[in-house]
Structures are given as structure tokens and as C-alpha cells.
Amino acid sequence: MNVLVLNCGSSSVKFQLIETDSEKIADRADVVHLQGLIEKIGTAEAIVSYTFADSPLKRSSEELLNHHAAVSRVVQILEQGAQAAAAAGGTQGRKLAIDAIGHRMVHGGEHFTESHLIDEEVVRGIERAIPLAPLHNPHNLKGYYVCRDLFRDMPQVAVFDTAFHHTLPPYAFLYGLPYDYYRRQRIRRYGFHGTSVRYVSYRYRELTGAAKTTSNLIVCHLGNGCSITAIENGQSVDTSMGFTPLEGVMMGTRSGDIDPSIILHLMTKDELAPHEVATLLNRWSGLYGLSGESNDMRHLLNSMAAGDERSKLAVQVFCYRIRKYIGAYWAALGRLDAIIFTGGIGQNAAMVRQLICDRLDALGATLDEGRNLSLGGREGVISAPNSRVSIWAIPTNEELLIARDTYRVVHGLPLP
Ligand code: ADP
């Protein structure tokens, strides 16, 4: 089955066409026929970039004034690819047909605990979660509406970032606020990055043969957004992102945890309005705010190597806070099998992994410096052979998980 995977943001659409089925999943032989990104939607200069399997990247600037135009463009790219392949005498035409669509949905609220075929009731459920993710859910839903217009009865599936964390126990998801705020407004920890965390923990079990029901893991998803998740017996039991993706460890431009009184102080002393505080905490903070240079870890590591003190400080704060979360979740789990790094930073930045793991050897997780340095963005173990707790880097693949979930949901197969 060919699944069109769509991740619709406010001004961007990420897309992939992935061929998958039970046999391909078992053999890890899923095929990515097309992947691409449309940015700056809503302007006369939207940037369209895509690549078909084994062919060079194409990039152009086009007028795409809304999501309807953008998703229609994706369909056109597929049609043109099929025609070109047919003209060249290939069988690619059939391969590029769409059989189902899988959507990344950021927030499923408390209602959605796994991926779902989208019908009117599911749409209403996603709409009910809009107040919890006003910057994400409306755009994710737009992708669904456009595809419903374009494809009518084609099955569409929602895969939620929050779903994997539905197993958090109340003592982990409740804040120390009056209980009424949870009862009336559903203010609680939801957690995000669930699709990524589910994928890498599944991949870890595939690589090690470990059983789901006995695996205790800490997954560090470190990209532009960063989160740490504690997994006990295969289930998420705590995670650093909370009511929104702002909580937890420090990120590229997000502050992560701060004393909430700082917000009150800024609103009173600097007379900042709520939207200004939101911008400060979400876009001007984190690695960017501390370094005064960049939110890009590659840039900061280079500046640090060149002797820039503020970049060094930003990287130190970043790594120190992650190490503290690992320690806290290790204590919460009691027993730990593995620490897994993923996301652009987690899967690529050996120096960051080294700084995070410094001192964890005292607890039983010893990094092997040689393995860590030589891994180079691939998947593999980076702990020393005698380390009680293993340490891994595993590249994430949220699109693949969305495609596989879509296939399974459409065929009524159980979700792993
Ligand atoms: P997003 O959360 O937007 O999906 P990514 O997972 O792609 O982001 O992660 C982006 C981050 O990964 C950036 O800070 C980038 O600098 C960092 N990164 C990517 N490759 C490397 C690398 N080789 N070394 C260090 N950092 C890297």
C-alpha cells in the first residue's frame, strides 16, 4: 500500500510517499518513493523541494497561497513523476498512486490513545483539542480537509504526538495546582514527540531482541524541540514536555523549565503582554537566547571550538539539564536497560552525547568514546562493552511510523 504521509504546519507541509505492508514491515523493506517539503505557504515565493527515490533534489520558488494549493502541488508532483516514469517505459506509474493518507496530528488531548481512521467523530475530537494546541492542530486538520476535498473517500488516518504518553500515571501527569484546573480545563502533562519515541524504542527492541514488556528505557529526542521520556515495560511513564512543548529541557529557541515567577516578574516589571512573553519563551530563549548566536547546534559546536565562551555556556546548560532529567527518570524507573539518543542533535552530535553522559558512568552507564565518535549519524551502540546500562544512538523516522500505522489502521491490524 502507498501511504502519503503529511505533516502540515502553519506555513509548511512535509510529505513522503511510502510503500509499506506487513511483509515489508517484517523485512524492513518499506520504500520511500518521494519525500519533500513546501515552506513559506501563503506567499508568492513558497519554496518547493522534493526528491524521488534515487533522483536529485528539485527546488523551485512558486506562488502557493494556501494549504489547498500546497497539497494540490504535492499531488501534481506525484502525477508528473508517474507520467515521466511511464514515458521512460518504467512501472513507476502504479508505484506512485496514493492508497491512503497518514497525518501527523500534534495533540489528541486525553481522548486519543492511539492512531485512528479519521471520520466526523474523530474530527470533532481533534477540534476539541484545539485550545490545547492552537498553533498546531488547526493546521494539521487543514491537511485532512484538503485531502477530503481532493480524494473524497480515500482512507485518512491521524497519528497523534501525544498518544504514546497516554500511559502516564496521574502522579506523573498532574501539576501541583488546585485539582479543579485539571477537572475543568484538563490542565495536565500531555507530552509530545510520542511518534518519534515510539519508533526508536521499537527499533531498539528490534536491534536487541529485547521484549517490549520488560524494556526500561530513557529516550532523549534532541532536535530543535527536545524531550526526555521514561519508558517502563514498554510504556511511557514520564516525559519532560508538559501541557505544551515548552516545558522540560532547554531547546533550540525554547526556554524549557523556568521558575513560573519569572513570567510574573517580567509582566510586572517590563510590562510584557502575554503574547510577548510567549515569544520570549518560545523563540528568543534556549540555545539561541543564551548564546546570542544561533539555535543551531552545529554552529554552536563550531563557535565553541573556536573559543566563543557564550556558545560554550549555552551548550553546557543544554547538556547539564538533559543529564539532570536522565538522573531523575533513572530514579523514577528504578531499573534501566538503555539510554537512547535521537533527533538531529541526538543522532549526530557526538560531542553533545559525551557531555551529557559525563558522570553517568558512576550510575552504571559508561560511554565508549571511540564508538561514540565513530558512529557518524548511523544507528548503533555507543556504550562500553562492560557498561551495565547500554547507550544507543538511533535515528528517528516518524514518517515511517505514520505510514505503517496508517497501513495497519486501514487493514484493521493491531498497532504494536
Ligand atoms: P526538528 O526538531 O526541527 O525536526 P532536527 O531533528 O532536524 O530538528 O534537529 C535540528 C538540530 O540538529 C539543529 O540544532 C542542528 O544543528 C542539529 N544537527 C543536525 N546535524 C548535526 C550534526 N552533524 N552535528 C551537530 N548537530 C547537528
Side-chain angles (χ1 to χ4, degrees), residues 107-168:
H107 216 308
E110 287 190 314
H111 189 65
F112 296 111
T113 57
E114 58 181 18
S115 304
H116 272 276
L117 196 63
I118 309 180
D119 57 18
E120 282 311 311
E121 204 186 318
V122 171
V123 169
R124 278 196 294 278
I126 298 169
E127 281 173 346
R128 273 198 297 278
I130 285 178
L132 301 172
L135 301 179
H136 293 101
N137 274 25
H139 306 295
N140 303 158
L141 263 179
K142 261 185 214 162
Y144 163 73
Y145 288 130
V146 173
C147 291
R148 196 180 56 180
D149 284 351
L150 292 173
F151 300 107
R152 300 225 155 253
D153 295 328
M154 178 153 323
Q156 300 198 55
V157 171
V159 180
F160 300 94
D161 270 15
T162 46
F164 184 66
H165 301 299
H166 82 275
T167 43
L168 257 59

Side-chain angles (χ1 to χ4, degrees), residues 216-220 228-232 237-239 322-341 356-367 383 386-391:
N216 280 17
L217 311 170
I218 293 176
V219 176
C220 305
I228 317 296
T229 298
I231 296 175
E232 183 171 12
V237 290
D238 208 345
T239 190
I322 292 166
R323 193 194 313 146
K324 283 206 297 184
Y325 260 97
I326 291 174
Y329 285 173
W330 199 329
L333 289 170
R335 178 183 65 78
L336 184 62
D337 297 313
I339 298 168
I340 305 173
F341 289 99
I356 293 170
C357 291
D358 183 33
R359 299 192 180 183
L360 290 185
D361 54 341
L363 296 174
T366 310
L367 194 76
S383 47
N386 62 351
S387 181
R388 198 158 45 79
V389 169
S390 61
I391 311 173

Side-chain angles (χ1 to χ4, degrees), residues 14 223-225 295-298 301 343-345 348-349:
K14 277 189 198 162
N224 280 314
N295 64 334
D296 191 297
M297 184 56 85
R298 268 169 301 202
L301 291 173
I345 299 172
N348 291 303

Side-chain angles (χ1 to χ4, degrees), residues 350 353-354 366-375 382-384:
R353 295 191 299 244
Q354 189 180 326
T366 310
L367 194 76
D368 182 309
E369 280 187 31
R371 282 179 173 176
N372 183 41
L373 280 173
S374 61
L375 195 65
I382 51 174
S383 47

Side-chain angles (χ1 to χ4, degrees), residues 186-216:
R186 290 299 184 241
I187 293 181
R188 53 160 284 181
R189 175 181 309 285
Y190 289 97
F192 300 86
H193 284 152
T195 311
S196 167
V197 176
R198 206 178 121 208
Y199 174 79
V200 294
S201 49
Y202 153 83
R203 181 69 188 137
Y204 163 82
R205 293 195 304 272
E206 209 173 43
L207 288 166
T208 59
K212 180 175 183 178
T213 47
T214 56
S215 295
N216 280 17

